[in-house]
Structure formats: C-alpha cells, structure tokens
C-alpha cells in the first residue's frame, strides 16, 4: 500500500501537534485552512479512500464520527461545524489516506454542494 504524508504524521515520523489522539486516530490542524477552524481526523489505519473501507472498518468509521463530535466540542464549535470527506481525485481528494475535515468558524453556505473545499 502506498504511504502518504498522513501515514508519516500518524506514525510520528513528521513532528506535528496532535489536538487529540487515541489508539485509532489522530487529529491535526490543516496546513492550508479553508476556515478559521479546519482540522483533520486521520485514522492510523491507512485506508486510501472511503470506498476502500470494508465491513471490518465499520467500528473504526463510527469511532471517527464520534471523535469528530468530541473534538468539535473541545474546539468550541460543537454547535456549528461541517464534516467533509473527499473521496477520489474527482471528489477533491489530494491525500490518499482517508481523513475527515472539520470546518467551522465561518458562514457555511447552505446546500449539499456548498462545502467550499478546493
Ligand atoms: P483532501 O483534499 O485529500 O481531502 O485533503 C487533504 C488536506 O490535507 C488538505 O486540506 C491539505 O491542506 C492538508 N494537508 C496536506 N498536507 C498536509 C500536511 O503535511 N500537514 C497538514 N497538517 N495538512 C496537510
């Protein structure tokens, strides 16, 4: 499986501040924030993209959502944030190691296609 920058970050090979970490995932600030609060929830398991997850990953995927809610609350944006997963180059994915974006702190346009990521 191809390694990515997120593999190196989750393994601690590139010094990066973890806003949260546990045995399954880490949370870091996005290097190129698209909103005042923009963090990434990255599983330690290097699943390249969401469609490559399988039934074995069900608990992990649920865990990532729970962590998203918890971290959003810790960051003070628990009542107003957007959660984004880009899947595939056509979906705007640039790092092929599954991750969730939490975006908050700016007006979020309404509508499914208004995420404003990339
Ligand atoms: P994607 O487009 O794959 O959904 O999101 C990848 C995100 O990772 C982008 O928002 C990009 O700014 C962020 N990113 C890419 N490389 C790094 C890095 O080395 N460190 C951090 N903190 N974020 C990164």
């Amino acid at each position: 499986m191809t390694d990515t920058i997120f593999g190196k970050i989750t393994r601690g090979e590139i010094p990066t501040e973890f806003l949260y970490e546990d045995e399954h995932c880490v949370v870091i600030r996005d290097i190129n924030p698209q909103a005042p609060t923009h963090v990434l929830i990255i599983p330690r398991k290097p699943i390249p993209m969401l469609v490559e997850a399988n039934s074995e990953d069900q608990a992990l995927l649920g865990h990532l959502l729970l962590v998203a809610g918890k971290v959003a609350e810790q960051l003070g944006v628990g009542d107003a944030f957007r959660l984004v997963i880009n899947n595939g180059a056509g979906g705007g994915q640039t790092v092929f190691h599954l991750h969730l974006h939490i975006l908050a702190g700016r007006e979020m346009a309404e509508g499914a296609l208004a995420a404003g990521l990339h």
Side-chain angles (χ1 to χ4, degrees):
M1 193 177 285
T2 319
D3 195 19
T4 68
I5 189 93
F6 289 173
K8 294 183 174 66
I9 287 173
T10 54
R11 292 193 302 272
E13 294 167 15
I14 296 176
T16 305
E17 183 194 356
F18 292 162
L19 304 182
Y20 170 90
E21 70 173 308
D22 62 28
E23 62 182 310
H24 301 298
C25 66
V26 307
V27 178
I28 64 172
R29 290 197 187 279
D30 196 291
I31 204 169
N32 182 24
Q34 304 297 308
T37 296
H38 186 176
V39 305
L40 304 171
I41 300 155
I42 309 173
R44 294 187 190 276
K45 179 177 178 180
I47 300 166
M49 60 176 106
L50 184 65
V51 292
E52 294 186 32
N54 57 49
S55 56
E56 276 176 25
D57 301 313
Q58 184 165 327
L60 174 61
L61 296 176
H63 180 73
L64 298 175
L65 290 179
L66 292 176
V67 168
K70 190 158 51 178
V71 167
E73 286 206 336
Q74 279 172 9
L75 293 173
V77 297
D79 62 342
F81 67 94
R82 174 168 284 164
L83 198 59
V84 172
I85 297 175
N86 294 322
N87 185 91
Q93 186 174 4
T94 57
V95 179
F96 287 83
H97 179 138
L98 175 68
H99 53 279
L100 287 62
H101 298 254
I102 295 176
L103 294 149
R106 65 165 160 81
E107 194 74 20
M108 293 292 165
E110 292 177 12
L113 297 177
L117 255 190
H118 305 297

